[in-house]
Amino acid sequence: MTVIDISPSVMQFLLAFIVVAPLLGALAALLPAPPGLKGRNPDQAVLRHGVTVTGAVLVAAIVLAAGFDHDHPATMQATTDISWIPALDVRIHLGTDGISLPLLVLTALLTFLCALYSYFKLPAGPSPKAFVALVLVLESGTLATFAVLDLLLFFLAFEMVLIPMYFLIARWGGDQRQPAAWKFILYTLLGSVVMLLGLLLIGLKSGTFDMVALATDNGRGLTTSVQVIAVLAIGLGLAVKTPMWPLHSWLPDAHTAAPTVGSVLLAGVLLKMGTYGFVRILLPVAPDGMRTFAPYLAAFAVVGIVYGSLACLALARTGAKGDLKRLIAYSSVGHMGFVLLGIATMTPTGVNGALFANIAHGLITGLLFFLAGAVKDRYGTADLDTLAGATGAALYGRAPRLGALLAFAAVASLGLPGLAGFWGEMLTLFGAYSPAEGLSRPAFRTFMAIGAFGTLLTAAYMLIVVRRVCMGEYTPHSRLSPDEQSQQAPRAADGPQPSGTAGSQLSGAAGSQLSGAAGSRTATTPQLADIHPYEAAAWTPLAALTVIAGLWPAVLLGLTDPAVQQLLAGGKS
């Protein structure tokens, strides 16, 4: 069944287009704008170019999904197979199935929303041309990672995203951006070197780099020792990108320093490249090696779940000077732990849960980073102690719609039933209850219990964040000392404001309210700008899809389950 009937040749073109178009768009972004398309200034023209290219890619991805045969999601569709380097038997092999299609659409959607958001709220930094070009190269590399079916092409696409993300952090980031960017690039490059050795080992020992052929062979052409070595090498590279505890330490620094759209793309799509590699390559190609390492992978996963939650609780406590973006970054360590736990079960239930959690995390955490960036723009800080009341910063009273949306994203992140975050965590825990044959059931049930405890910790720190940031502990300015009033009132009134007329009106209103408060015993809390139209346009799709995926999980599971069943069966239905 397809939503619209599209010929195979058009499907091939659509998949090739969504991979290549961002790269061509990045080259075009560096060229001078043609006469008549410059708009008010060249900066506006190149930002509009970014929105146009990412929008075209999103439309192509949606049409590709509409033309996808949903009755046969386990079959590779829209395939292109062209010889590229005959001497190494490397082919330009593209295709999509029920596993990769949701990730392609998610990537196209998040990149478009980031381009739209940046059109109105460009982060401070060098040339907008370079910014747009880097975002488009990042999109092309990510989409290629999910579309290619050759091991060496997978590695090239996997590496293609590193340099753009490095520069987005190093040139457009905030405080400590240079150390964070260096840590990001060093960790991921070192992991990639080890991963390349594992990919070469598989290709040379099996005689092919074709991922479909390798998955169909299901490891029968590889000895157990080769599989074990390959899983160890490739798994280390993928674990760094996921990131798995204890290889996660680059992530909080990168998220804290990155601009808002950089954090959204890093959490929403780049982390998924690591877990996708586990499912697409290691599970079907080296099942014996995966079975050897699955208990260790599950153990690291549940440690990451608990560790990430405890780190968030430490950051959320009063007086810890915790950063909201850093807290969300540590929450990603815990959420990706559930994905790894589901993969480690090697069961259809667990792997489907991992793939669902992947998509849910991209939607929810992408929204959380958008909201954290908006809060930081309005207050000039993401420090939780400041947001919790030092400036009378309760969001419910000052920006009610923004506060409500932050609370919605928080409860979605903690896995509230009826929202997208619930299904992935539940299915991974079910998978751990009854792991694949050959895996220790008592061990995995212990991991399940620890993971379930992690969900309670997640609920604890998310509710603390909502209580402190949205409800706050407002202290009227009239009760503060004159010195405290002079130090804190300007921070609330004169912090970075949204550009445009609304921002200037807000600044004036806030200033007049604070002036009145200084001369009166009854102080009023200065209002903040609530959600702007461009913010609503960027955030509404993520919130809506979070609800739809939570209420109608069969849409996604109907795609992934047949493909996962076939993948785990060695290419046999």
Side-chain angles (χ1 to χ4, degrees):
M1 181 193 69
T2 59
V3 177
I4 56 177
D5 190 17
I6 302 177
S7 68
S9 59
V10 175
M11 292 286 284
Q12 289 178 344
F13 170 78
L14 287 171
L15 184 58
F17 174 81
I18 67 174
V19 172
V20 176
L23 197 58
L24 298 177
L27 295 174
L30 299 176
L31 300 175
L37 296 179
K38 292 182 178 179
R40 292 193 299 269
N41 56 66
D43 290 351
Q44 184 199 43
V46 74
L47 292 171
R48 186 172 60 237
H49 169 79
V51 175
T52 303
V53 173
T54 56
V57 171
L58 175 59
V59 170
I62 293 173
V63 174
L64 179 72
F68 188 83
D69 185 357
H70 292 257
D71 289 334
H72 301 91
T75 303
M76 281 294 171
Q77 303 179 34
T79 55
T80 299
D81 193 359
I82 304 170
S83 179
W84 184 33
I85 307 176
L88 298 177
D89 193 29
V90 179
R91 310 181 68 82
I92 299 177
H93 192 182
L94 305 177
T96 185
D97 64 356
I99 293 173
S100 57
L101 182 64
L103 291 167
L104 289 171
V105 176
L106 175 67
T107 301
L109 173 65
L110 284 176
T111 312
F112 169 71
L113 296 180
C114 286
L116 180 65
Y117 186 84
S118 299
Y119 181 80
F120 295 94
K121 190 71 178 176
L122 182 68
S127 166
K129 280 190 173 186
F131 177 83
V132 171
L134 289 170
V135 169
L136 291 175
V137 172
L138 184 70
E139 179 182 31
S140 181
T142 309
L143 290 168
T145 301
F146 300 137
V148 298
L149 297 173
D150 183 276
L151 289 179
L152 292 185
L153 277 184
F154 175 85
F155 176 77
L156 293 177
F158 197 86
E159 296 301 287
M160 184 176 168
V161 305
L162 301 185
I163 300 302
M165 182 53 70
Y166 167 80
F167 281 109
L168 286 174
I169 297 172
R171 304 302 299 276
W172 284 270
D175 296 337
Q176 300 297 312
R177 59 181 181 269
Q178 288 292 346
W182 274 111
K183 183 180 285 190
F184 164 77
I185 200 73
L186 288 176
Y187 265 77
T188 49
L189 278 179
L190 289 174
S192 297
V193 170
V194 180
M195 184 177 74
L196 177 60
L197 297 176
L199 294 174
L200 290 174
L201 176 64
I202 288 178
L204 295 175
K205 290 294 184 179
S206 64
T208 180
F209 290 99
D210 186 85
M211 292 160 67
V212 176
L214 289 166
T216 303
D217 188 61
N218 201 221
R220 287 182 286 270
L222 300 172
T223 65
T224 300
S225 60
V226 169
Q227 291 188 37
V228 169
I229 295 171
V231 169
L232 179 61
I234 298 172
L236 280 173
L238 297 174
V240 170
K241 184 64 71 72
T242 298
M244 179 185 76
W245 180 92
L247 305 174
H248 69 283
S249 60
W250 61 269
L251 183 71
D253 292 340
H255 271 309
T256 304
T260 297
V261 295
S263 293
V264 171
L265 293 175
L266 181 58
V269 295
L270 263 67
L271 302 188
K272 313 303 175 284
M273 295 164 62
T275 52
Y276 174 78
F278 276 103
V279 175
R280 176 65 73 197
I281 299 174
L282 294 185
L283 279 178
V285 175
D288 292 338
M290 273 297 293
R291 198 168 286 108
T292 299
F293 283 105
Y296 305 101
L297 179 62
F300 284 124
V302 296
V303 170
I305 292 171
V306 175
Y307 171 85
S309 299
L310 292 177
C312 290
L313 282 171
L315 289 171
R317 75 179 190 275
T318 303
K321 292 293 180 183
D323 186 278
L324 180 59
K325 290 184 68 178
R326 195 174 189 86
L327 183 144
I328 299 170
Y330 271 111
S331 77
S332 291
V333 176
H335 289 305
M336 299 311 289
F338 279 102
V339 178
L340 291 173
L341 177 61
I343 293 170
T345 67
M346 299 184 68
T347 62
T349 301
V351 176
N352 275 303
L355 294 173
F356 198 103
N358 251 347
I359 301 299
H361 179 265
L363 295 172
I364 297 168
T365 308
L367 178 59
L368 277 171
F369 275 116
F370 267 134
L371 294 168
V375 169
K376 187 172 183 179
D377 288 338
R378 285 157 170 78
Y379 287 108
T381 181
D383 177 76
L384 284 168
D385 286 332
T386 302
L387 298 178
T391 59
L395 276 180
Y396 285 158
R398 302 186 65 187
R401 287 187 290 274
L402 181 61
L405 193 55
L406 179 60
F408 166 82
V411 297
S413 183
L414 63 83
L416 184 73
L419 298 176
F422 170 74
W423 295 106
E425 294 180 2
M426 185 193 72
L427 289 172
T428 57
L429 294 177
F430 279 174
Y433 182 81
S434 183
E437 185 178 351
L439 299 178
S440 170
R441 183 164 293 188
F444 271 83
R445 288 185 176 177
T446 302
F447 299 146
M448 181 199 71
I450 298 172
F453 176 67
T455 63
L456 300 179
L457 295 178
T458 303
Y461 70 73
M462 279 299 179
L463 293 177
I464 289 173
V465 168
V466 170
R467 178 181 62 81
R468 299 193 68 208
V469 176
C470 295
M471 301 176 186
E473 299 171 358
Y474 171 56
T475 303
H477 291 281
S478 59
R479 297 182 184 177
L480 302 178
S481 68
D483 289 341
E484 289 174 324
Q485 289 183 36
S486 64
Q487 291 173 4
Q488 295 179 8
R491 188 186 306 171
D494 302 329
Q497 303 289 354
S499 58
T501 306
S504 60
Q505 291 173 346
L506 167 67
S507 179
S512 62
Q513 287 175 339
L514 283 174
S515 298
S520 169
R521 294 295 298 174
T522 306
T524 59
T525 306
Q527 293 295 308
L528 293 176
D530 216 329
I531 298 176
H532 295 291
Y534 73 89
E535 292 173 329
W539 303 343
T540 301
L542 300 179
L545 288 172
T546 298
V547 175
I548 292 171
L551 295 177
W552 198 10
V555 173
L556 185 55
L557 293 174
L559 279 173
T560 61
D561 185 53
V564 168
Q565 297 273 3
Q566 181 166 305
L567 205 67
L568 295 177
K572 300 185 179 113
S573 300

